[in-house]
Amino acid sequence: MKRMKKLLGVILTCAAMVMSVCACGASPEKEAITVTFMNGDTQLGQISGSAGETLSDYAQYETIEGFEFLGWYETPTLLETSKKDLASATFSKDTTLFGSFKSLQLAEDTRVWYIVGTGGNPNLAASNWAADVDASVKEACQLKATGNTVNEFAITLNLYEGDQFQIIHDWAWDGQKGYGCFTSIDDSQMANGGGLSGEDSKSNINVLMDGNYTVTLTTDPDNALQDTLTIVRNGDATEKAKEPEPEKVYEVTDATGIVVKGSWVSDWSENKELTRVEGTNSFTISLDLAAGTELYFMVFDNGEDTGLGMNGSAVTDEASKALLEEAYNVKVATDGTYTFTVDAETMTITVEK
């Protein structure tokens, strides 16, 4: 009897060990996720999957008659840095992907494209960000059709460290092409210089390395999301950089005014005038702003824009910086009522909340 009890005890112990091993080896359930596939504002479909695993059956959404599929992106603006290779990509949560579909029958682009900005290239400097200039300057800044493919335009020019530029059409700023439009870029040669809109596709391109470069633009007049830029360094610059003009010192007068615009309007079209603090050269304004709102301050004289402006770099004191996010523009960190004070003599901005 004792022997049977002992045997039964051994059996029960072994069974418990087996169950323990099985329990330890059990795989935890993987979190279910849903990936939504879009073509612009149109939903193509959804696929259910598991977090951390690749998807299947996504190829069904990559075919649209009359279009060539170019890839999936996590941003609706199809930023190259957000491109995903679904053969290897995994996702940890519900995700929306945006397809890049290029028409196989492109309309002819009859617009005239230019490079504009500022810096050591004399033509770029003369363009002064699409100021009112002579026709000869526009001609020197114009991208010309390459003839290699439909709607491909290019310009070869010397660029120098510190130069800034963007690509625009018809000497106007609607539809500008900035840093985010490059399909590939060498970050030792070019950098994202930010801009008023806060959108990478409209950000300035900052030159980090002197050289002779070819900038190429490919467009789809019916779908601006398909517009892309490439830039190739051909070698060293073939001429020396233009000597910079002496910096003009603005003298504050009774006719000076300060105006602010911002992203509270999607196209930044609304200007608000600051109030001059009596007997000083300081100007102030209080605004109710949502978190993430960006602002840019401009100097006016007799109601005319002087071309002088102030962005986030004009905020220099630590107390003011603590109320802002780090950005090209003045960008508030949280919802609230903010008071901005501009010292027109020092061109600095202080912020209170």
Side-chain angles (χ1 to χ4, degrees):
M1 188 72 175
K2 288 182 179 179
R3 183 177 296 176
M4 288 185 64
K5 287 183 177 180
K6 186 174 181 180
L7 180 59
L8 180 59
V10 171
I11 293 172
L12 291 173
T13 300
C14 291
M17 290 177 65
V18 170
M19 290 177 66
S20 176
V21 170
C22 290
C24 291
S27 299
E29 285 191 22
K30 294 185 177 178
E31 182 182 352
I33 62 167
T34 299
V35 178
T36 302
F37 295 84
M38 303 289 294
N39 176 22
D41 295 329
T42 302
Q43 181 177 313
L44 300 174
Q46 294 180 318
I47 290 179
S48 297
S50 299
E53 293 186 354
T54 57
L55 301 172
S56 59
D57 299 329
Y58 55 83
Q60 63 184 302
Y61 303 124
E62 296 180 351
T63 301
I64 296 179
E65 187 175 353
F67 291 83
E68 177 188 3
F69 174 73
L70 301 179
W72 294 110
Y73 298 78
E74 286 190 310
T75 56
T77 54
L78 310 182
L79 287 177
E80 195 66 21
T81 52
S82 73
K83 190 172 185 179
K84 293 294 180 181
D85 179 1
L86 297 193
S88 57
T90 61
F91 303 93
S92 60
K93 59 183 180 180
D94 291 348
T95 302
T96 299
L97 295 177
F98 299 86
S100 175
F101 295 92
K102 184 175 182 179
S103 174
L104 297 176
Q105 294 183 334
L106 290 177
E108 181 184 359
D109 192 343
T110 58
R111 295 169 292 183
V112 181
W113 292 91
Y114 301 94
I115 184 170
V116 296
T118 187
N121 180 293
N123 295 315
L124 194 61
S127 76
N128 192 22
W129 297 107
D132 186 10
V133 298
D134 293 339
S136 60
V137 175
K138 292 184 179 181
E139 173 66 22
C141 292
Q142 183 180 338
L143 281 69
K144 302 295 178 66
T146 65
N148 296 329
T149 187
V150 179
N151 298 341
E152 183 180 85
F153 309 89
I155 187 171
T156 297
L157 73 168
N158 296 314
L159 294 171
Y160 306 92
E161 181 181 358
D163 287 6
Q164 290 186 312
F165 68 92
Q166 290 201 40
I167 306 299
I168 63 170
H169 68 80
D170 300 322
W171 215 251
W173 281 98
D174 61 311
Q176 69 203 74
K177 308 300 172 190
Y179 184 89
C181 292
F182 280 100
T183 55
S184 62
I185 198 163
D186 187 330
D187 59 12
S188 70
Q189 298 172 0
M190 303 287 155
N192 188 335
L196 292 182
S197 70
E199 298 177 27
D200 283 345
S201 60
K202 297 181 179 180
S203 292
N204 295 338
I205 301 113
N206 286 5
V207 180
L208 303 180
M209 181 187 295
D210 293 2
N212 181 266
Y213 292 88
T214 297
V215 180
T216 303
L217 168 71
T218 304
T219 69
D220 180 347
D222 295 325
N223 184 358
L225 293 179
Q226 296 297 332
D227 296 347
T228 60
L229 288 170
T230 61
I231 187 164
V232 176
R233 188 176 186 274
N234 306 309
D236 293 338
T238 56
E239 296 176 353
K240 290 184 178 180
K242 176 182 179 290
E243 289 294 328
E245 298 287 341
E247 187 174 346
K248 295 180 180 179
V249 178
Y250 176 74
E251 184 176 344
V252 184
T253 70
D254 291 341
T256 298
I258 303 294
V259 170
V260 62
K261 60 183 176 180
S263 62
W264 62 78
V265 179
S266 61
D267 62 357
W268 291 64
S269 60
E270 183 180 5
N271 290 342
K272 296 180 182 289
E273 187 173 358
L274 279 69
T275 301
R276 191 171 200 148
V277 179
E278 188 175 355
T280 73
N281 288 326
S282 293
F283 300 77
T284 186
I285 191 170
S286 293
L287 299 168
D288 293 326
L289 301 172
T293 302
E294 299 187 41
L295 305 96
Y296 183 77
F297 295 79
M298 301 167 290
V299 181
F300 278 64
D301 197 297
N302 278 314
E304 297 292 328
D305 190 352
T306 65
L308 297 173
M310 287 161 278
N311 56 26
S313 63
V315 181
T316 57
D317 68 288
E318 295 304 319
S320 295
K321 288 180 179 180
L323 299 174
L324 307 175
E325 292 184 27
E326 187 175 347
Y328 175 82
N329 299 306
V330 178
K331 185 176 184 180
V332 300
T334 59
D335 296 351
T337 301
Y338 291 82
T339 298
F340 302 92
T341 302
V342 174
D343 185 331
E345 291 184 348
T346 61
M347 292 292 180
T348 57
I349 303 168
T350 55
V351 188
E352 294 178 320
K353 181 174 185 285

